[in-house]
Amino acid sequence: NAGVMQNPRHLVRRRGQEARLRCSPMKGHSHVYWYRQLPEEGLKFMVYLQKENIIDESGMPKERFSAEFPKEGPSILRIQQVVRGDSAAYFCASSLWKGGANPDTQYFGPGTRLTVL
Amino acid sequence: DQQVKQNSPSLSVQEGRISILNCDYTNSMFDYFLWYKKYPAEGPTFLISISSIKDKNEDGRFTVFLNKSAKHLSLHIVPSQPGDSAVYFCAGLNSGGSNYKLTFGKGTLLTVNP
């Protein structure tokens, strides 16, 4: 029973390049979340997606960042024209939709560590 | 503006003793809280949660206590084991609003010494 998969695990980019981070949710999960962890900080919510829909992108920087979760394939977090401040660990989580009284548990992937030179 | 605060960056305890990790929150809209455990180079793993309608939830060696009036929660691990050594994150959310938007603290590094 594979968990949430993220690749690459480590990504090095030079300033101005593009970074593409991929996330495959757990089997049967149709809800995906992206979080960013800057050094010495907690994880911060970026975006919530369902298949083919962005539900909430309130935590995403307005420029250079975009996310998608197509009908087929993994979710992609895309960062254009990376800057040094984008260096961080990016975690993806997924969940089922149970619709119960309690929020659905989010299961996290191992993260992608982005380093911008 | 930190809505979830874990004021102890680190904690060291002896194997077999109790570990108590603390967490404070400022957002009155939070009514559901979770603890996650994270090993280096891995993602956070869900440990235990508590709804604000309760003041205690227990799962094996892990117990979470919630004091709503003080806006404080704590995670107790009894007995502590060396394998519990990890970073522990407290997170809160508003289950009636964006009930997926976890707000995390900065984490506490727990070291359990054999």
Side-chain angles (χ1 to χ4, degrees), chain A residues 16-89:
Chain A
Q17 291 184 319
E18 178 180 287
R20 279 184 176 241
L21 288 63
R22 286 177 290 278
C23 169
S24 296
M26 284 180 72
K27 188 175 179 180
H29 287 193
S30 58
H31 300 253
V32 166
Y33 318 83
W34 285 92
Y35 291 81
R36 175 165 71 172
Q37 185 183 22
L38 295 169
E40 311 298 325
E41 298 287 325
L43 285 75
K44 287 190 166 40
F45 170 83
M46 297 181 76
V47 61
Y48 165 34
L49 308 108
Q50 294 176 21
K51 285 280 187 183
E52 300 184 279
N53 283 306
I54 297 174
I55 307 302
D56 182 349
E57 56 182 350
S58 59
M60 288 259 279
K62 294 285 184 276
E63 296 178 354
R64 302 187 297 107
F65 284 72
S66 62
E68 62 176 12
F69 189 17
K71 189 176 178 182
E72 303 289 339
S75 175
I76 307 284
L77 179 68
R78 183 181 178 209
I79 312 172
Q80 295 178 289
Q81 298 175 321
V82 295
V83 301
R84 288 219 174 102
D86 297 332
S87 294

Side-chain angles (χ1 to χ4, degrees), chain B residues 61-72:
Chain B
R61 296 187 296 114
F62 302 90
T63 303
V64 56
F65 295 91
L66 175 62
N67 182 334
K68 289 187 290 293
S69 61
K71 293 193 175 68
H72 176 84

Side-chain angles (χ1 to χ4, degrees), chain B residues 32-76:
Chain B
Y32 195 80
F33 302 90
L34 307 91
W35 285 92
Y36 279 82
K37 170 182 176 179
K38 185 182 178 304
Y39 293 117
E42 294 185 14
T45 303
F46 170 73
L47 261 182
I48 191 168
S49 61
I50 187 166
S51 166
S52 61
I53 62 173
K54 295 184 174 181
D55 53 20
K56 176 183 173 181
N57 189 24
E58 191 172 350
D59 184 1
R61 296 187 296 114
F62 302 90
T63 303
V64 56
F65 295 91
L66 175 62
N67 182 334
K68 289 187 290 293
S69 61
K71 293 193 175 68
H72 176 84
L73 60 155
S74 60
L75 174 68
H76 293 211

